[in-house]
């Protein structure tokens, strides 16, 4: 589970003399989308962070520009996390959604100082639907969420998914985004590695219902 969440930032704002009022506004909007999971309400929340109160939030939290990106990114992960848990029947299937947990993507034998050693390599994906056996998460569906997709971010996602599929060829890899800032050609290229790509943007394309239905269909086949 991710340690820093949306509430982490809101609580810091509420404790700040400079950011208290903004914290109250964000807290009210946060509670709204947490309750109803409406995309338009979540979208309004991240627009408040980025377009309306960006400078004030950075000043109150004494952060750099990356802080705004993290705030929005963590909120987006949380929105999709809640959407999956509340709109699918994971528990009945004996499955769960894991948030920013390490997933094994490579396993092999290496030679270290003349000795054969079995090694594994893990990477953290935003969300993973699967089950836990002992301390290992067995992934069925892996989801990366990006508020803004540009070429470097997309290539990083593709690289991690490619590595994952070498060990788990049947895993279903998904990318969810709000704004697409890369070339359209890259979206077609990415589909060689990414099974499904969804846009969660009420001003352009709202594919939340399609995403949920595809998850349900995939898990009940």
């Amino acid at each position: 589970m991710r340690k820093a969440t949306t509430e982490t930032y809101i609580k810091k704002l509420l404790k700040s003399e400079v950011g208290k009022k903004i914290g109250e506004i964000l807290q009210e909007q946060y509670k709204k989308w947490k309750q109803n999971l409406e995309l338009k309400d979540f979208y309004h929340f991240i627009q408040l962070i980025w377009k309306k109160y960006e400078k004030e939030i950075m000043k109150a939290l004494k952060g750099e520009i990356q802080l705004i990106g993290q705030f929005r990114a963590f909120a987006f992960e949380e929105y999709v996390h809640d959407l999956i848990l509340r709109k699918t029947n994971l528990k009945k299937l004996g499955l769960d959604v894991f948030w920013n947990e390490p997933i094994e993507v490579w396993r092999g034998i290496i030679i270290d100082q003349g000795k054969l050693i079995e090694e594994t390599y893990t990477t953290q994906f935003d969300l993973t639907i699967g089950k836990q056996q002992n301390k290992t998460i067995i992934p069925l569906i892996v989801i990366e969420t990006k508020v803004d997709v540009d070429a470097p971010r997309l290539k990083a996602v593709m690289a991690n998914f490619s590595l994952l599929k070498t060990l788990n060829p049947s895993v279903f890899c998904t990318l969810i985004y709000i704004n697409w800032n890369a070339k359209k050609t890259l979206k077609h290229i990415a589909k060689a590695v990414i099974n499904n790509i969804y846009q969660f943007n009420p001003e352009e394309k709202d594919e939340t219902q399609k995403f949920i239905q595809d998850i349900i269909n995939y898990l009940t086949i």
Side-chain angles (χ1 to χ4, degrees), residues 154 177 180-191 197:
L154 182 61
Y177 72 94
W180 189 273
N181 299 323
K183 290 183 178 180
K184 290 183 179 179
T185 309
L186 282 175
K187 184 181 286 190
H188 296 284
I189 295 172
K191 289 179 180 178
I197 300 174

Side-chain angles (χ1 to χ4, degrees), residues 36-39 79 83 86-88 176 198-201 205-217:
N36 62 31
L37 290 180
E38 290 288 338
L39 181 62
Y79 175 75
L83 200 65
R86 286 163 55 183
K87 300 293 184 178
T88 68
I176 303 175
Y198 304 90
Q199 184 175 25
F200 283 16
N201 188 325
K205 198 171 186 180
D206 178 358
E207 295 187 294
T208 52
Q209 295 305 314
K210 184 179 186 305
F211 166 71
I212 290 300
Q213 192 57 55
D214 285 350
I215 294 293
I216 292 170
N217 292 342

Side-chain angles (χ1 to χ4, degrees), residues 20-71:
K20 185 177 181 182
K21 183 61 180 178
I22 296 169
E24 290 171 350
I25 294 170
L26 290 177
Q27 186 177 54
E28 183 179 350
Q29 187 64 23
Y30 172 70
K31 288 179 179 178
K32 188 174 183 180
W33 67 254
K34 283 286 284 187
Q35 183 177 13
N36 62 31
L37 290 180
E38 290 288 338
L39 181 62
K40 61 180 178 61
D41 291 325
F42 168 74
Y43 185 75
H44 180 59
F45 177 79
I46 61 167
Q47 291 297 85
L48 288 174
I49 296 169
W50 181 41
K51 289 192 172 180
K52 191 166 185 179
Y53 298 121
E54 177 185 345
K55 291 181 180 179
E56 291 87 343
I57 291 170
M58 288 174 59
K59 183 179 179 181
L61 300 186
K62 299 177 182 178
E64 298 179 354
I65 190 66
Q66 292 89 341
L67 180 143
I68 297 297
Q70 289 175 347
F71 195 172

Side-chain angles (χ1 to χ4, degrees), residues 7-176:
E7 280 193 299
T8 305
Y9 292 93
I10 293 175
K11 286 178 179 178
K12 286 182 179 179
L13 286 169
L14 292 172
K15 291 179 180 179
S16 166
E17 186 176 340
V18 178
K20 185 177 181 182
K21 183 61 180 178
I22 296 169
E24 290 171 350
I25 294 170
L26 290 177
Q27 186 177 54
E28 183 179 350
Q29 187 64 23
Y30 172 70
K31 288 179 179 178
K32 188 174 183 180
W33 67 254
K34 283 286 284 187
Q35 183 177 13
N36 62 31
L37 290 180
E38 290 288 338
L39 181 62
K40 61 180 178 61
D41 291 325
F42 168 74
Y43 185 75
H44 180 59
F45 177 79
I46 61 167
Q47 291 297 85
L48 288 174
I49 296 169
W50 181 41
K51 289 192 172 180
K52 191 166 185 179
Y53 298 121
E54 177 185 345
K55 291 181 180 179
E56 291 87 343
I57 291 170
M58 288 174 59
K59 183 179 179 181
L61 300 186
K62 299 177 182 178
E64 298 179 354
I65 190 66
Q66 292 89 341
L67 180 143
I68 297 297
Q70 289 175 347
F71 195 172
R72 293 193 302 155
F74 294 171
F76 194 25
E77 291 174 18
E78 186 172 342
Y79 175 75
V80 178
H81 173 273
D82 288 8
L83 200 65
I84 295 168
L85 274 184
R86 286 163 55 183
K87 300 293 184 178
T88 68
N89 57 346
L90 292 187
K91 298 298 183 180
K92 290 183 180 179
L93 296 172
L95 303 172
D96 206 343
V97 55
F98 302 91
W99 187 1
N100 200 236
E101 295 287 350
I103 305 298
E104 191 175 294
V105 295
W106 182 86
R107 187 187 309 123
I109 303 295
I110 65 170
I111 300 176
D112 185 11
Q113 296 181 349
K115 296 180 180 179
L116 294 177
I117 300 174
E118 185 175 351
E119 286 283 354
T120 60
Y121 181 78
T122 63
T123 190
Q124 289 171 300
F125 294 96
D126 292 335
L127 299 164
T128 301
I129 296 174
K131 56 186 176 181
Q132 191 159 9
Q133 293 181 352
N134 298 321
K135 294 183 179 180
T136 302
I137 295 171
I138 310 300
L140 297 177
I141 301 173
V142 174
I143 302 157
E144 285 288 277
T145 65
K146 300 296 176 190
V147 175
D148 300 297
V149 173
D150 56 17
R153 288 188 179 96
L154 182 61
K155 290 174 183 177
V157 169
M158 291 173 64
N160 284 334
F161 280 166
S162 295
L163 192 58
L164 176 65
K165 281 177 177 285
T166 61
L167 190 61
N168 300 278
S170 62
V171 70
F172 198 81
C173 295
T174 297
L175 170 64
I176 303 175

